[in-house]
Structures are given as C-alpha cells and as structure tokens.
Amino acid sequence: MALVCAGLIGVLLCGCGRDDAVIVGHASDTEQAEESPAPTDEPTPAPATATPTTQAPAPPPTAGQPSAQPSTSTAPAPAPAAATGPCSASGSGLALAKGSASSHAVQTAQDLMTAALGCDSGFLTTLATQDRTVLSLNDAQPATVFAVPDGDQRYLALARALSSAPALADDEWIWPGAAAGDDFTGYQVSISADGKWTAFYQG
C-alpha cells in the first residue's frame, strides 16, 4: 500500500513539473511578443522641399519725398539770331544796280553785294585773294580790309558803291558810274567783262 501511494505521488510531482515547464515556456513566448513592437502602416513623410520666396514690393513714397520718375524736361530753345550782323552794311537794305553791265560782271557784283550785306568776311577775303583784287593804293591784305567788325565801314562802302548804276571804262565795269570821272573821291568797285573782281578802293 505504501509503495502504491509513493508511486502515485511521484507521478503527480512529475506531472506538475512538466505543466509548470510548459507554462513557463509559454510565458516566455508571450513576453517576447509584447517586447517586439508591431509594424505600423503609417507612410514615411516625404522630404521637405524649398519653398520659393517672393520679394516684397517697394513701399510707396512718403509725403515730401518725390518718387523716381523719368525726366521729361527738354533743352531750352536756342535764342533767335540777332537781326543785325557784326558789320556796317547790316540792315542797310541796299540792292545791286545792274545797269547795262555784262552778265558775268553782274553775277560777280551780285555776289559781292550779298557778301557785303551778310558781313561774309570769308567770301570777300577768298575772292579778293583769288582775283588779286587791288584793295588800296597801299596794297592792303584782304584779311585786313574785310575784318569784322569794320570800324572804317568798308562793308557799307562796298554796298553803297554797288547800289549805283555802273559805267564802262577801259573794258571794265565800274560801280558807281560816277567813278569813271577824274574828280570822284569815294569808294569804287571795278569788275572786268568776264567777271573778274579787279579793284575796290577809295579815290
């Protein structure tokens, strides 16, 4: 009897040991399951992209401060030219007296009158030099005779001489015609029939 009980007790003890082992094994599996985090289905956030920046508009001008505007001002108009020129013949209103002179002589006389009224020192100097015009008994230089302003009023004297009708003397046309006589003491202009300016002098 005693042997039977002892055998039953041993069986029970052995059985309890196995169950405990099984239970302990299951407990270990459960703890491992709880410690391992479960995978989630949350999406991975995309990397941030740079947001373009815009420049703020310039502030409006404050009171008393002019805003930048393109200049619309124009240059002042030039002053009108003076009515009178720098010589004695300016504004005289004299005109050429053609008379019966040759066409070439008239053309040269008209050029001289225009230059005298316009105070054109350059033209008179050039033509006198080209034609070797006798300008005085002292052989004065053209640049000196026709310098402006003319204190001796030679431009007016030239215009006045050409404003009187010419006369023919020794194949030359002389303005004024009265200068063809011996007693004339004023300025005179001599032009050949082919239009060469031969002389401009007084007396």
Side-chain angles (χ1 to χ4, degrees), residues 77-140:
T84 58
C87 72
S88 56
S90 301
S92 64
L94 297 172
L96 174 67
K98 299 178 181 180
S100 57
S102 65
S103 59
H104 294 292
V106 168
Q107 181 61 56
T108 300
Q110 183 61 65
D111 291 342
L112 294 176
M113 174 65 82
T114 301
L117 298 179
C119 309
D120 193 343
S121 175
F123 177 83
L124 293 175
T125 299
T126 300
L127 184 60
T129 301
Q130 173 185 314
D131 289 352
R132 298 183 179 182
T133 306
V134 176
L135 297 175
S136 72
L137 299 179
N138 296 325
D139 295 329

Side-chain angles (χ1 to χ4, degrees), residues 7-70:
L8 291 173
I9 292 170
V11 171
L12 291 173
L13 289 173
C14 292
C16 290
R18 288 193 296 270
D19 293 337
D20 291 340
V22 173
I23 292 172
V24 172
H26 287 294
S28 298
D29 295 336
T30 303
E31 290 176 358
Q32 293 178 359
E34 290 177 355
E35 291 176 359
S36 299
T40 60
D41 296 331
E42 294 181 3
T44 303
T49 58
T51 304
T53 59
T54 57
Q55 185 176 2
T62 58
Q65 181 181 2
S67 58
Q69 296 292 337

Side-chain angles (χ1 to χ4, degrees), residues 157 176 178-188 201-203:
D182 295 334
D183 298 332
F184 185 78
T185 58
Y187 277 92
Q188 66 184 40
Y201 57 88
Q202 183 179 15

